[in-house]
């Protein structure tokens, strides 16, 4: 659906050259909700703008629906862009126009007739839950309502692809959740492919199926949400994952490690194993006490995922046997003896 092939973007600002995007390869399949995460300045917005050629890549190809957008005429490009819509962090609404007219705007540009426009706008207002607000102006709306207008406007021309640039970054957590729900509904009901860029890992966790981590213009890691969240490879991905997974070991527990005689481990459970009472089995089979110090069980893409910090207490050899037993068990993904 969207294929970026060796895409780079270099900005010339005076004497200086800034490489905002560097040799990026990215494939977004039809129907995906794909997230790109990175810190501010990583090159995310530039990358997103390369997808619809708002930013022309310095090198590389942008293939959308099998068409190389870097190689077609400007007329053809305008045509192709109609199927790619954008949603912005600060909504970019026309302040002097009512909600209704903001949503009607792209349809008027496309030369649709009045009854068609009314039909479509009413339908979209209903879909985003703003039927009552049609006659209001943007400054009479909350942030969440403004973003719903932005989203309805983006959907007006029935796009195949929705590009979201930090669409929830200006919103409070509750409003963010409701906008993310709306994006999921759009993906499900209208079968629209969604590419989201954000610096908020919880957005990625809650709505995306796949993720790429971007740093200094490059994609340094990518994969399914489950793979990246359960086993992040790079330091940056690990930090992003930690920011939402509550898997950092609290200071009070790290403090316990100063005592060499304590045996503290990180245990990671995946899928069905989260429902299996492995730790109580261990306590029964061996002469050890299992003390859960910290952790949680959450869901990633509907798969249970548990991350626990435990302490084993008992004689050294019993602890070793218990450790071996846990390690052999299919339910266990990883035990880190130094708990760090
Ligand atoms: N039009 C531009 N001219 C010059 N430099 C730019 C331009 N747009 C972005 N940059 C630079 O490119 C880098 C990436 O920016 P951006 O894509 O906005 O990152 P992000 O969205 O991840 O915060 C930054 O260093 C930024 O200053
Ligand atoms: Mg940005």
């Amino acid at each position: 659906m969207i294929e970026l092939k060796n895409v780079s973007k270099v900005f010339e600002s005076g004497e200086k050259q800034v490489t905002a995007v560097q040799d990026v390869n990215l494939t977004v399949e039809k129907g995906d909700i794909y997230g790109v995460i990175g810190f501010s300045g990583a090159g995310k917005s530039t990358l997103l703008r390369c997808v619809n050629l708002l930013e022309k890549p310095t090198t590389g190809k942008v293939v959308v629906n099998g068409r190389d957008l870097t190689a077609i005429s400007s007329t053809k490009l305008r045509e192709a862009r109609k199927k790619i819509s954008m949603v912005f962090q600060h909504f970019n609404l026309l302040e002097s126009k009512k909600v209704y007219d903001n949503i009607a705007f792209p349809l008027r540009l496309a030369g649709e007739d009045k009854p068609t426009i009314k039909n479509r706008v009413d339908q979209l207002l209903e879909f985003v839950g703003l039927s009552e607000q049609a006659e209001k102006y943007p400054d009479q709306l909350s942030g969440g309502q403004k973003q719903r207008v932005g989203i309805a406007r983006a959907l007006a021309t029935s796009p195949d692809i929705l590009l979201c640039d930090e669409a929830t970054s200006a919103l409070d957590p509750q409003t963010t959740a409701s906008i993310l729900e709306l994006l999921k509904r759009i993906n499900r009901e209208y079968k629209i492919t969604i590419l989201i860029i954000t610096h908020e890992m919880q957005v990625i966790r809650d709505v995306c199926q796949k993720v790429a981590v971007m740093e200094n213009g490059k994609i340094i890691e990518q994969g399914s949400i489950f793979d990246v969240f359960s086993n992040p490879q790079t330091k940056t991905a690990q930090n992003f994952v930690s920011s939402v997974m509550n898997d950092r070991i609290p200071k009070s527990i790290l403090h316990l490690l100063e005592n060499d005689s304590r045996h503290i481990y990180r245990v990671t459970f995946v899928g069905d194993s989260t429902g299996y009472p492995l730790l109580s089995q261990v306590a029964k089979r061996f002469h050890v006490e299992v003390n859960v110090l910290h952790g949680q069980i959450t869901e990633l893409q509907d798969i249970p995922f548990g991350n626990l910090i435990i302490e084993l207490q008992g004689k050294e050899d019993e602890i070793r046997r218990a450790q071996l037993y846990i390690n052999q068990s299919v339910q266990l993904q990883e035990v880190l003896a130094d708990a760090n």
Side-chain angles (χ1 to χ4, degrees), residues 60-90:
K61 278 186 184 179
V62 179
V63 182
V64 176
N65 281 329
R67 239 198 201 165
D68 181 357
L69 300 190
T70 51
I72 59 179
S73 68
S74 52
T75 322
K76 289 242 168 72
L77 179 60
R78 260 200 304 280
E79 200 58 39
R81 273 196 188 134
K82 284 186 188 152
K83 292 288 162 196
I84 311 173
S85 287
M86 254 182 131
V87 177
F88 306 91
Q89 177 175 1
H90 297 293

Side-chain angles (χ1 to χ4, degrees), residues 44-45 165-166 197:
K44 306 180 299 294
S45 293
D165 190 342
E166 304 275 3
I197 64 164

Side-chain angles (χ1 to χ4, degrees), residues 11 13 18-20 38-47 55 165 197:
F11 290 110
S13 49
V18 179
T19 305
F39 296 114
S40 172
K44 306 180 299 294
S45 293
T46 307
L47 183 74
E55 232 35 285
D165 190 342
I197 64 164

Side-chain angles (χ1 to χ4, degrees), residues 190-261:
Y190 292 138
K191 311 270 179 269
I192 293 177
T193 305
I194 302 181
L195 179 57
I196 292 178
I197 64 164
T198 180
H199 66 278
E200 296 174 311
M201 198 56 165
Q202 132 268 338
V203 167
I204 303 277
R205 181 194 61 195
D206 292 345
V207 73
C208 298
Q209 292 139 9
K210 294 175 193 158
V211 60
V213 182
M214 200 168 179
E215 191 168 60
N216 297 328
K218 291 186 191 150
I219 288 185
I220 56 167
E221 185 163 346
Q222 54 184 310
S224 73
I225 293 302
F226 192 85
D227 287 348
V228 173
F229 275 72
S230 60
N231 193 16
Q233 301 295 309
T234 57
K235 193 86 207 141
T236 303
Q238 284 161 10
N239 283 335
F240 277 123
V241 169
S242 288
S243 71
V244 291
M245 295 298 278
N246 191 28
D247 64 351
R248 280 221 176 95
I249 301 168
K251 277 211 180 85
S252 58
I253 293 173
L254 285 176
H255 175 68
L256 298 177
L257 290 170
E258 288 166 12
N259 181 343
D260 282 347
S261 63

